[in-house]
Amino acid sequence: MNGQPSTKQTPTRRKTVLFCRGCEYQGPPDGPWIIHRKPDSDVYLCPNCNTTVTVRDRFDNWE
């Protein structure tokens, strides 16, 4: 026995996952998060408890 789990036993999980500290909800960044777009950033809120999860800078307005 080599101690390595087979690929059939390992659940598929995305590498990029956002976690809410308020209610422990988790999901991919393109999931059902509430996103408030600001001129220079996007604010991601939890769809369950409305806690701010992350603020991501926006670079689309750069020249």
Side-chain angles (χ1 to χ4, degrees):
M1 184 176 252
N2 64 7
Q4 299 269 10
S6 74
T7 55
K8 292 181 182 178
Q9 294 173 340
T10 305
T12 304
R13 184 169 169 183
R14 294 176 62 142
K15 285 187 172 186
T16 306
V17 178
L18 297 178
F19 295 90
C20 176
R21 289 183 265 164
C23 70
E24 299 182 9
Y25 177 82
Q26 57 182 307
D30 60 352
W33 303 98
I34 301 165
I35 303 172
H36 290 287
R37 300 203 181 271
K38 307 271 183 169
D40 60 349
S41 63
D42 292 331
V43 180
Y44 285 69
L45 303 177
C46 175
N48 289 337
C49 69
N50 215 32
T51 297
T52 299
V53 175
T54 188
V55 177
R56 295 187 170 185
D57 291 334
R58 294 180 66 198
F59 299 103
D60 57 346
N61 292 334
W62 288 33
E63 295 181 17

